[in-house]
Amino acid sequence: MSGLFTTRAKRIVGLGGTFRQASSSEQIVRAVLADCAALGAETIMFDGPALARLPHFNPENPARTDEESALVEAVRECDGIVIGSPGYHGGYSGLVKNAIDLLEDLRADARVYFDGRPVGLVVTAAGWQACGTTLSAMRDVVHAMRGWPTPVGVAVNSVEQRPFGADGTLSDEGVASAVRAQAQQIIAFAMDTPQMENTA
Ligand SMILES: Cc1cc2nc3c(=O)[nH]c(=O)nc-3n(C[C@H](O)[C@H](O)[C@H](O)COP(=O)(O)O)c2cc1C
C-alpha cells in the first residue's frame, strides 16, 4: 500500500578495515554493527579484503564488477553507515577512500550519496594525533556526501589500548561504551527518518 511507513528493520552498512589479520579498525566497525544488530538492525559488512577486491575507481569507466554493484546497492538501500579506517600518514587509508569514491554512483539518486543518513566513524591509529586528524578528515568527507556524522566518533590508540581480548571480545569498557553510544545514535537517527514503503 503506498504512502504507509514501513516498520522493517533498519539496514546498517559497515565498511572498513585493512589487509591485516584481526584488523583493529575492522573489529571496531564490526562491534558497532553488532550493537546495531542488538538494537534490531540488519547489518552487512564490507571488510578490508572485500574493499581490496574493488578496482581503482575510474569516473570514465561505467562498467561495474559484481562486488562494486553490491557495495553501491547496499549503501543505496541502507538507513545508516559505519566507516572505519586506520590512520595512515595522518589521514584515512586509500582502500577506504577508493570504496567511498565508488559511491559517486549514488550522485544522481533521489537520495544522493549518504543524504539524510547517520554515519558512524571509527579510527584506529598508533597515536592520538592521527586518531584526531583522521576522524576529522572522515567527518569532512561525510559532510561532503550529505551524511550526518554521529556526535560520537570512536578513536582507538592501538599503542595505548588493547580493546579486544584473546577471544576477540571487546574487553575495554571505555571503548565498548563509545561503540555502544555510537550504535545507539545511528539507530535513533535512523528511526527518526522512516523510509516510505517501496511499492515498486
Ligand atoms: C602505511 C602506514 C601508515 C601509518 N601511519 C600512521 C600515522 O601517521 N599515525 C599513526 O598514529 N599511526 C600510523 N600507522 C599505524 C596504524 O594507524 C595503526 O597500526 C592502525 O591501528 C592499523 O589499523 P588496523 O589494525 O585496522 O590494520 C600507520 C600504519 C601504516 C601501515
Side-chain angles (χ1 to χ4, degrees), residues 7-179:
T7 54
R8 67 161 172 75
K10 298 300 175 188
R11 297 175 186 146
I12 310 300
V13 174
L15 66 94
T18 67
F19 277 106
R20 281 189 344 98
Q21 189 82 33
S23 154
S24 57
S25 49
E26 176 191 325
Q27 283 180 304
I28 304 273
V29 172
R30 287 190 186 279
V32 177
L33 291 184
D35 279 351
C36 288
L39 294 167
E42 291 172 4
T43 67
I44 181 169
M45 177 73 190
F46 295 85
D47 60 15
L51 300 186
R53 289 191 294 272
L54 301 174
H56 280 168
F57 176 69
N58 174 355
E60 296 190 330
N61 179 7
R64 295 287 175 259
T65 65
D66 288 348
E67 290 188 296
E68 286 181 301
S69 300
L71 175 59
V72 170
E73 278 311 307
V75 175
R76 178 173 277 140
E77 296 296 323
C78 80
D79 304 293
I81 302 118
V82 185
I83 304 175
S85 176
Y88 276 3
H89 306 129
Y92 47 88
S93 70
L95 202 64
V96 169
K97 190 58 163 64
N98 186 54
I100 291 172
D101 289 346
L102 172 64
L103 301 177
E104 178 66 6
D105 282 9
L106 305 177
R107 185 167 67 98
D109 281 20
R111 195 170 53 154
V112 61
Y113 301 133
F114 299 149
D115 191 26
R117 283 164 290 176
V119 184
L121 295 171
V122 168
V123 175
T124 68
W128 290 117
Q129 180 166 305
C131 283
T133 55
T134 304
L135 194 58
S136 176
M138 290 168 75
R139 284 198 166 122
D140 288 347
V141 170
V142 174
H143 285 148
M145 297 181 74
R146 308 194 195 182
W148 297 73
T150 57
V152 170
V154 182
V156 171
N157 180 336
S158 51
V159 169
E160 293 186 8
Q161 297 169 292
R162 291 272 179 272
F164 291 93
D167 61 354
T169 55
L170 189 46
S171 53
D172 179 308
E173 187 39 43
V175 176
S177 135
V179 162

